[in-house]
Amino acid sequence: MSLRTLSAAAVTALSISIVEGGSAATIAGAAPASTSVATVFATGLDSPRGLAFDKDGTLYVAEGGTGGTTSTVGQCLQVPPPVGPYTGAMTGRISKISRDGTRTTVVDGLPSSQTGPASGGLVSGVADVTFAHGRLVALISGAGCSHGLAGTANEVLRVSDGKTRRLANLSAFLAANPVANPDDNPATGDFEPDGTWYSFVAVGRTLYATEPNHQEIDRISANGHVSRVVDFSRFFPGNIDWRGPTGITYRDGWLYVGTLTPFPINPGKAQVFKVNPRTGDFTVFADGLSTILGLSFDENGALYVLEMNDAPGFPSPGNGKVIRISGGSRTVIVSGLSLPTGMAFGPDHNLYVSVNGLGFPPGAGQIMKISVPQEADND
């Protein structure tokens, strides 16, 4: 995600609050019968982000990694303080979680980087995973010279048998195709030349990826060609009204995209856009939301929205929630989540959510399993 205006105040806010057992979240519903149950499904993860299930019900987890100390200061354009300069190492990975919660490594040694100390050393690496025509693909967001890792690039990777192969070079696309109104003021902006890619979704053989720092959605074809779907900076200039697209999903011919807004958090200012993937035209599908990092539809067409933090100020553990939007009503499915960063429905119809995903030490990341209550007649 973009860490726009996230300053030293966040270091204190991102204190350690590791969740244990089944008491990870405070549950809320529209009625006493609409009660969720949240339990820890998997532990031992490093900055977990996006989630995806294969056809056999195995969960795959994108992990940001643990960052590193390699610097590229003096070699290329850097992200200005307090967010930058970044440092990095090859500590990112993808894990898979069996049905009993056992973690194994699919592939490691992937790029991982972290912000400067004044921003809390927040880590990014593998941002998301998904399956396109049965093949695992990964979205990398912690690479590139501007993230402390010369000779690497943010990219889309095909993953097979513990090895990766580049499908698309996203850093190169950003360099060759600048957005209209980037937040690139060296004194006040946090423009990242390689971007901070956050999420993607497969529609047939085509991928659609979000990049919040530059404020865009891009299309990656099966042959690796990258093209822009929409440049949100044309409508919300980065240095005036930044709205960074993060979570993305697809239904019935439309992309649905959630947004972040600048820090400190102003609750209720985030939105979900409904986007035409062919033309880039968009409308507001839902507003009055906060710090959206994930979206997912259930089989009945209700949209589930993952909010990282719904309290004013800077992100802190215990303020994350999942909201169901169905028709004209909204239901809080679960609240009290600890800095959630990714969400997916499992084949068992439960929600799986990455928590402790931002600002926690190595191994503190977890996946929560959340039962989803039936929609009430008045939902």
Side-chain angles (χ1 to χ4, degrees):
M1 79 190 73
S2 173
L3 297 170
R4 189 175 186 273
T5 72
L6 186 56
S7 69
V11 177
T12 300
L14 293 172
S15 58
I16 306 307
S17 179
I18 298 175
V19 181
E20 296 181 353
S23 58
T26 302
I27 311 304
S34 297
T35 301
S36 300
V37 176
T39 57
V40 175
F41 176 66
T43 61
L45 300 164
D46 299 330
S47 300
R49 301 297 164 83
L51 307 173
F53 284 88
D54 69 11
K55 60 182 177 59
D56 296 321
T58 299
L59 176 62
Y60 288 73
V61 184
E63 294 180 75
T66 59
T69 59
T70 301
S71 173
T72 54
V73 172
Q75 300 180 44
C76 57
L77 182 64
Q78 299 291 308
V79 179
V83 174
Y86 277 71
T87 57
M90 306 301 282
T91 62
R93 72 183 180 190
I94 300 169
S95 291
K96 65 179 179 180
I97 314 295
S98 65
R99 293 186 181 186
D100 66 1
T102 301
R103 188 203 72 81
T104 56
T105 298
V106 175
V107 62
D108 57 12
L110 299 173
S112 175
S113 61
Q114 61 196 61
T115 64
S119 289
L122 305 179
V123 173
S124 56
V126 188
D128 202 2
V129 287
T130 193
F131 286 88
H133 271 241
R135 296 182 177 182
L136 180 64
V137 288
L139 179 66
I140 305 299
S141 70
C145 191
S146 69
H147 288 163
L149 293 172
T152 70
N154 280 335
E155 56 195 346
V156 176
L157 298 175
R158 291 191 175 106
V159 183
S160 180
D161 297 325
K163 299 179 180 179
T164 63
R165 182 166 61 92
R166 174 182 286 175
L167 173 63
N169 186 327
L170 300 177
S171 291
F173 175 80
L174 292 183
N177 300 275
V179 294
N181 297 297
D183 186 15
D184 58 359
N185 185 320
T188 61
D190 72 346
F191 183 76
E192 300 183 19
D194 291 284
T196 57
W197 302 85
Y198 195 79
S199 183
F200 63 175
V201 63
V203 182
R205 295 175 63 85
T206 301
L207 298 164
Y208 293 91
T210 60
E211 200 294 305
N213 189 268
H214 296 225
Q215 299 176 262
E216 62 190 275
I217 302 173
D218 296 298
R219 179 189 298 107
I220 301 99
S221 67
N223 66 3
H225 176 71
V226 185
S227 58
R228 182 165 293 136
V229 175
V230 58
D231 173 3
F232 288 112
S233 80
R234 293 184 179 276
F235 309 94
F236 315 110
N239 62 346
I240 299 173
D241 188 22
W242 176 83
R243 304 185 198 185
T246 51
I248 185 170
T249 192
Y250 176 86
R251 185 176 177 86
D252 296 336
W254 295 91
L255 297 170
Y256 293 79
V257 182
T259 63
L260 279 178
T261 52
F263 295 93
I265 297 164
N266 188 354
K269 295 300 182 181
Q271 298 170 309
V272 176
F273 295 134
K274 183 178 180 180
V275 181
N276 185 321
R278 297 170 298 281
T279 67
D281 295 330
F282 67 95
T283 59
V284 175
F285 176 78
D287 57 13
L289 299 160
S290 306
T291 59
I292 301 169
L293 293 188
L295 297 174
S296 188
F297 281 99
D298 68 14
E299 58 188 4
N300 297 315
L303 180 64
Y304 290 69
V305 180
L306 179 66
E307 295 185 328
M308 175 185 63
N309 193 107
D310 68 348
F314 291 93
S316 58
N319 293 313
K321 66 173 56 172
V322 176
I323 298 172
R324 180 170 60 205
I325 300 176
S326 180
S329 67
R330 301 184 182 190
T331 303
V332 176
I333 299 300
V334 61
S335 62
L337 295 171
S338 179
L339 294 170
T341 48
M343 175 178 68
F345 269 102
D348 57 1
H349 307 292
N350 292 310
L351 271 176
Y352 291 78
V353 178
S354 302
V355 298
N356 298 348
L358 184 66
F360 284 78
Q366 299 180 337
I367 306 300
M368 302 301 301
K369 178 180 177 179
I370 300 166
S371 66
V372 178
Q374 294 284 328
E375 291 187 65
D377 290 340
N378 61 352
D379 264 9

